Amino acid sequence: MKKIMLSALILAATAYGASAQTQKGYYLIGGNLALLSGSTNEKSFQMNITPKVAWFVQEDLAIGGKVDLGFKAGRAQKPSINYFVGPMARYYFGEQQVNTPKQTRVFAEADAGISGNNAGGKSTNGFGAGIGPGLAFFVNENIALEALAKANIITGAGSNGVSFRPELGLGFQIYLPGSKLKQMRNSMK
C-alpha cells in the first residue's frame, strides 16, 4: 500500500510539474539544431543553430528573441549562408492534447526580424518571418526536448526578391522560474 501511495504522489508531482513550466514569470532558455543532408546525388550538408530566450508574460505565452545561423555546402553547389535576428513568440496549447502523454505539449512559434539567404551568387536580405507548429516533451519539470517545423519567408533586396526556406529542427529547452534565475545570478556575484 505504501508503494502505491508513493507512486501516486510521484505521478501527481510529475503531472503538476508538466504544466508549471509555462506559467507567468518563467523563462525559456535553449535552442534548436537542424542537421540535414541532401540526396545521394546532391551530396550536400546543411546545419542550422538557433539559440533563443523568452519570458512567459502570461500563462502559456512566451515572448523573447532568437538568432538563427545556418550553413549549407555540397559538391554540385556553392556554399550558402542564412541568418535571422529578431523577436519571437511562442504559445502552448491546452494542458494535454488528445492522444499524447501528459508530459507532452503542442505549441506554435512565430518570429519576424532581419533575415537573409545568400546562396551561390543569389541573395535575399531584408525582412524575414516564420511560423510553425512544435511538440515539446518534458523530460522533467524544467527540461524539454522538442521538434519544430516552420515555414520561413524572406523579402527584400538582392538578386532574389523573395526566398522561402522550410525548417525542421530538434531542440532542447530549459524552463526556469524568474526567482531561480535571480538566485543563480546573485550566487555568481
Side-chain angles (χ1 to χ4, degrees):
M1 185 66 173
K2 287 182 182 180
K3 287 182 181 180
I4 293 173
M5 291 299 287
L6 182 60
S7 297
L9 183 62
I10 291 171
L11 184 61
T14 304
Y16 170 74
S19 64
Q21 308 89 329
T22 61
Q23 290 177 349
K24 182 178 179 179
Y26 269 65
Y27 285 86
L28 170 77
I29 302 167
N32 292 0
L33 178 66
L35 295 172
L36 306 170
S37 60
S39 66
T40 54
N41 295 339
E42 191 179 84
K43 294 186 180 177
S44 67
F45 171 80
Q46 179 177 349
M47 183 176 100
N48 280 30
I49 186 164
T50 310
K52 52 184 89 171
V53 175
W55 179 59
F56 284 90
V57 294
Q58 70 180 39
E59 190 163 334
D60 296 331
L61 176 63
I63 296 176
K66 75 174 214 172
V67 175
D68 184 4
L69 299 171
F71 176 77
K72 183 176 181 181
R75 281 190 177 176
Q77 59 187 294
K78 293 182 181 178
S80 67
I81 295 173
N82 60 280
Y83 63 90
F84 173 89
V85 177
M88 59 156 287
R90 182 182 276 197
Y91 184 78
Y92 291 80
F93 296 97
E95 289 292 321
Q96 178 185 3
Q97 302 302 311
V98 179
N99 297 325
T100 62
K102 276 202 182 275
Q103 67 270 25
T104 304
R105 298 284 305 269
V106 174
F107 64 87
E109 184 175 298
D111 55 52
I114 299 168
S115 188
N117 187 9
N118 302 298
K122 295 182 180 181
S123 66
T124 306
N125 296 290
F127 175 77
I131 189 166
L135 183 69
F137 175 76
F138 288 91
V139 177
N140 66 23
E141 184 178 338
N142 298 102
I143 298 173
L145 301 174
E146 67 181 35
L148 176 63
K150 283 180 59 185
N152 299 298
I153 190 164
I154 306 167
T155 63
S159 56
N160 285 344
V162 176
S163 176
F164 175 75
R165 186 176 57 86
E167 176 183 339
L168 179 61
L170 298 176
F172 177 84
Q173 305 296 333
I174 299 172
Y175 297 77
L176 291 174
S179 60
K180 184 79 167 176
L181 282 178
K182 188 175 183 179
Q183 180 184 20
M184 290 169 60
R185 186 178 59 222
N186 289 338
S187 69
M188 291 180 170
K189 289 182 180 178

